[in-house]
Amino acid sequence: MPNSTDEPGTPETGHVELAVVGAGPAGLAAAVTAADHGLDVVLLDAATAPGGQYYRSPADGLGATRPGALHHDWRTFTELSARLAAHRDAGTIRHLAGHQVWTVERTGDGDWILHAVTGADTEVRTAVRARRILLATGAHERQLPFPGWTLPGVVGAAGAQAMLKSGLVLPGSRIVVAGSGPLLQAVALSLTRAGAQVPALVEAAGYRAYARAPRVLAANPGKAAEGARFAAELARARVRVLSHRAVTAVHGDERVEAVTVSRVDHRWRPLAGTGRRIACDALAVGHGLVPQLDLAVAVGCGTRPGPDGTHAVTLDEQLRTTVPGVWAAGESGGIGGLELALHEGELAALSIVREVRGGVRRREARRAVALRRSRRRLRAFADLMGAVHRPGPGWREGLTDETEVCRCEEVTAGRIRTACEELGAGDTRTVKLLTRAGMGWCQGRTCGFAVRELAAAHGGGQEPGGPDRRPLACPVKLSTLADLSGPG
């Protein structure tokens, strides 16, 4: 096929009406709904199989007989997968698995060109031209540093769940689950069901704070019921739930042997003399999720601050971003969970269908109205959840000068404090230039939140608003950049 973008070595897959980036719950729901209504769709995803992080499945070679046992609402995923397979067979959806979209550009005629790479050893380049794009890029886990968090045996809470879902392995046999957010309950239950012992679930916030919004709870009775089921199952599994507490130290020579759990106040400041040692051989820790916004920010989409301390894409009720021709769904618009992601994916697809056709049928219009109503209800609960579990500023007080903040570049809290208090750094960018914090392989995805918080605390509180801006959504070779720029 001719390469209309004039990119040496980058074949173009052709022109489509809609390109969906991300094959998690939101992306899957969007792609199959758009194809159901006659749109030509390309679905690009970095993973080799659909499902995203939520519906991550074991490799075929592992011989898992009941992969659905590790997931909530597996039936929905099997139905979406069947619809995707049917559309692939019919040619109405092209599923480009293992394709990581690293940048997006707009052409002079208003189309979008999505540049993707695939292949581990030999990087193969692909370009997709689309009239419209839908970003369903999901989220990554938020980590807060503390003494000992780099010791082998400390893993992300979501990472522990991913190990179990995709590899059927556990990070240890006696695992403390810690951090903040409702994900911790799901992780603890998954680990116990797989045979691990979880002596404690350590939550820095408190679940009673949900009672401050009775109307939101009343509008979402299923959420309260789910929380009650989780609590009952945790009790049966003999998992102690310790609220208003945090892991303040990890102990061990070559790997985790124990953790110290301390009580924290409402600002998450550790209270002296409250530390308690818990023996374990692994720690699964996380403090919620952060929307993956690299591509959205790169194309110019507006963002908004969320109640959980992260930023999300600004969306209208039709799931349109501030950039014409670009929609977003799922965690890109704010962390909200599975049900919200599925509803937003379908709603975004109906919005795109309406624009392509110039209108929708009565049945589709009624469905869109119902989805918008559900979205408002679920978003209200997501905002409540984010506010309840938002990290308090006092967590910084537990960091020693030797505590590593940026693991890639081995930058300690002491070096960041020195950059701010002695070298005049007043924002994250200057801290980065002086210390290399956030300049490693992950490009600040792991340490970015912590570095910003420390820079704001010790640099005069001059932190700029908005999410991190990265020119590339993933690492690519220099040859790929050279091809994109063309001759000369």
Side-chain angles (χ1 to χ4, degrees), residues 389-427:
H389 297 282
R390 177 174 180 157
W395 67 268
R396 300 184 297 249
E397 298 184 16
L399 303 184
T400 66
D401 281 346
E402 293 73 32
T403 304
E404 283 191 4
V405 176
C406 173
R407 300 174 67 164
C408 297
E409 296 294 324
E410 299 181 343
V411 179
T412 63
R415 286 178 59 190
I416 294 174
R417 289 167 177 152
T418 298
C420 293
E421 297 171 355
E422 299 181 19
L423 303 180
D427 54 35

Side-chain angles (χ1 to χ4, degrees), residues 26 34 59 99 151-152 217 247 276 280 302 411 428 440 450 479:
H99 283 66
L151 196 65
L217 292 179
V247 172
R276 173 190 170 192
C280 60
V411 179
T428 302
S479 59

Side-chain angles (χ1 to χ4, degrees), residues 273-293:
T274 64
R276 173 190 170 192
R277 191 178 177 111
I278 300 177
C280 60
D281 60 4
L283 169 65
V285 60
H287 294 84
L289 303 175
V290 179
Q292 190 76 268
L293 302 182

Side-chain angles (χ1 to χ4, degrees), residues 20-36:
V20 178
V21 183
L28 272 179
V32 298
T33 300
D36 286 345

Side-chain angles (χ1 to χ4, degrees), residues 1 41 221 254 301 318 370:
M1 180 176 294
V41 179
E254 297 183 355
C301 296
Q318 301 293 332

